[in-house]
Amino acid sequence: MRKTDLNKYANGQTNPQNQAALTFRAVGKAIWKLLVTAFVVAFITGIIVSVSLFSYVMSMKDSKIEYDLMDLKLNYTSFIYVNGENDDSGNPVQYQSLYSGENRVWVNYSDIPQAMKDAIIAIEDKRFEDHNGVDWIRTIGAVYNLVTHSKGSYGGSTITQQLIKNLTGENDVSLSRKVKEIFRALNLEKEYSKDQILEVYLNVVDFGSGCKGVQSAANLYFGKDIQDCDIAECAAIAGITQNPTAYTPLVYPEANQRRQRIVLDQMLEQEKITQEEYDAAYEKSGHMEFVGRTSENVVDSVPIWDWYTEQVFKDVRRDLMEKYECTQAEASDMIYHNGLRIYSAQNTELQTIAEEALSDRSIFTQDPGAQGGFLAMDYNGRVLATVGRVGAKYLNLGTSYATETNRQPGSSLKPLVDYAPGLEAKVINYSTILDDNPVDGYLNGDGSPGPNNYDPVFEGDVTVKRALQVSKNPPAVRVLLSVGIQNAVSFLEDKLNFSPIATDMQVPSMAIGGSFGTNIREMVGGFQIFGNGGKFYEPYTYYYVTDHDGNVILDNRETAPVQAISSVNASIMYRLLENVIQAGTGRLAALDGWQVYGKTGTTQDRKDLWFIGGTPYAVGGVWTGYASYKRQMDDEDIAKKIWKNIMSQYLSNKEAKQFTLDPDMISAKFCVETGKLENPGVCSETELGWYSRDNLPSICDGEHEGAESSEPVSSAASSEPPRVSSSEATQSGPVVVPSSSAESSEPASSENEQSSSEADSNSSSHNKPSD
């Protein structure tokens, strides 16, 4: 070993200088590895992100508006016909024409003066003639402003892009929307010429004060046609588009004048007008007069539709959006201008009755300011009538409390979420004993065991019949838990087409209608299954729709039903709900001489009052309450009163008719104490029950308090209960097995038509009691 090498080990120690160098090199290598690793990770991540972003962007490259621009020129009026109502010649009677409130008059490209075309191009898109739908210079500036949140002057949108926004109604500020709009613009300019695009733009863009298009703007502001407008007038119109509200000359003439002169400046700068033309127009702008509305230049005002016509419009619009994958604005335009023929399913008699019954707000004598809604349908899906609000109807396309406002249904939901699924799952039958005491783990809002009853008495053991009759809450929760919450949710969503129920709303309080909201249309659609053998038909307001050439484009006439529950279980549910009317919380809704089934519903502090009920001709529903949730309803019977008023009028001239119940439904007396089939000579208190053959209770063994004896079950009692004949199943009351204790077959008498205390209370807290 060399001498110099031995120096490193002098005295057994390492040279400090060398140690520092080694440490430095080690740290340097670690940092270098870290940097290289970070670079590689960033590079790979960048590639992945870039590829993903590129793929995402390219996925929209074929995006376009599924709309024929030239259809906008047609401007045919659409009509609603009431199917089945014909004139003397046998043709359907026109019930309502449909046109929008837009003051829109189409003018052909050749009739639009060059000054108008030049003015709009100069101020909105000066490179319109040169680009292919997208002005990349302005687009880059707009993207920069969006990313940096700066307030630059780049709007980015070309005339083509603005046209797309006007037709689709999409105007959210996002990069994804902008990318889609860019591809749509590029594709649109492949299909249409510049002249066609500019023609449509000048006829559909908002020019303030309700004007759509330059022709209606010229009529309104100057009392003349657009082809007669000079440069100054065209500039005044063109200046409005940036902000139709702020630049309308009828309201803000000074602001319009400033904008008009900016347009003139741009026209001069871009050499679209001469200096002499500019000077004349600029001088005129200082003393320009605007005509405003006159009887000659205003399109007739749109009549106020009745509530049914409005719902037909909304349903057709929804279905057009689904079929053609178009926006709401595009679907509305098709209805207003494409000459559709819509065959309404309205029952004009019931609609008139309902509109008159709810037009006067004085029906809320105890609850001034309250609101309500109504909807009725037959047992094949046809919506017969609907009213969206109480009081005079003063506008079109407002919010309907019958179909669009979701409120908690309270106990009116129990037949749909608890008892019908319970029968189908065979976890209950007509006389199953349920525990009317607080449910383990279920707490009220104050932390006490629950759910409470409205009375607020707990009765202990009660039959299913009793629990539903007086709307007991703990038994309903126990049935739901036996069925399974997810199974009940699936029943509502898959069998009855309820709107999706959020996961955090799928809780035990669903059993008493206390966790999520619904509307009258969904509730009535669900209750139809108890009067038609368990079949669910999607409620519809129109039969079919044809286009201008007579081709059927939408059709509800061949809709297949969903068998939501078995026919026999539907009949059993009918009997249970008939009892609610005859002896329970729905007694006030009984109709003399008519079979009625139904269920009440009341939420916490009477914020919502419901009644859903069926007759042989129709099933209908009523909701009432305050829109603000700030007040409770004082008249707890108002929903039943409204329902009875409308239905009694509707049935007043109808022929007698009864429900057809399943002939396989079995009637038999049961022991009230055990819920089991009667053991003659043993059970002291019995009532008549209704059962399916595969879900019969066993025969009472007499081992209960109050039994008359504990004799063995007789051979007679062990035989199968008598089967209900087809003729018997249609009677208004229970089929009576020969017995002195059978229920009366008569409908509720007038002395029973009084309000009972509804077992009620429900709230948004998931664990409040409800009726």
Side-chain angles (χ1 to χ4, degrees), residues 37-51:
T37 301
F39 175 78
V40 171
V41 171
F43 181 73
I44 295 174
T45 302
I47 291 175
I48 294 173
V49 171
S50 298
V51 170

Side-chain angles (χ1 to χ4, degrees), residues 123-137:
I123 195 63
E124 292 296 331
D125 187 5
K126 65 181 180 181
R127 286 182 283 273
F128 174 70
E129 298 291 348
D130 302 320
H131 61 64
N132 58 354
V134 180
D135 187 335
W136 294 108
I137 296 175

Side-chain angles (χ1 to χ4, degrees), residues 43-164:
F43 181 73
I44 295 174
T45 302
I47 291 175
I48 294 173
V49 171
S50 298
V51 170
S52 299
L53 181 61
F54 179 77
S55 300
Y56 173 70
V57 170
M58 293 310 294
S59 69
M60 294 187 281
K61 68 182 180 65
D62 296 324
S63 180
K64 59 182 180 178
I65 56 172
E66 301 292 337
Y67 201 87
D68 187 345
L69 295 186
M70 295 302 101
D71 280 353
L72 292 168
K73 300 177 65 173
L74 302 178
N75 205 24
Y76 294 128
T77 299
S78 294
F79 294 96
I80 290 180
Y81 298 85
V82 177
N83 208 42
E85 297 188 11
N86 300 326
D87 58 22
D88 295 338
S89 301
N91 299 314
V93 175
Q94 272 186 19
Y95 182 76
Q96 180 75 62
S97 59
L98 297 176
Y99 55 93
S100 70
E102 301 172 353
N103 186 9
R104 191 184 96 177
V105 182
W106 194 275
V107 57
N108 292 326
Y109 185 81
S110 59
D111 294 326
I112 301 174
Q114 190 62 41
M116 187 68 247
K117 302 169 189 173
D118 289 340
I120 207 71
I121 290 174
I123 195 63
E124 292 296 331
D125 187 5
K126 65 181 180 181
R127 286 182 283 273
F128 174 70
E129 298 291 348
D130 302 320
H131 61 64
N132 58 354
V134 180
D135 187 335
W136 294 108
I137 296 175
R138 297 179 68 187
T139 297
I140 292 172
V143 171
Y144 174 80
N145 291 336
L146 180 62
V147 172
T148 61
H149 303 287
S150 59
K151 297 182 180 179
S153 60
Y154 288 100
S157 295
T158 63
I159 283 175
T160 308
Q161 290 170 284
Q162 290 181 48
L163 175 60
I164 289 170

Side-chain angles (χ1 to χ4, degrees), residues 45 139 299 474 487 493 647:
T45 302
T139 297
V299 176
N487 292 331
E493 293 180 351
M647 284 300 188

Side-chain angles (χ1 to χ4, degrees), residues 114 360 405 569 598:
Q114 190 62 41
D360 188 354
T405 302
N569 280 336

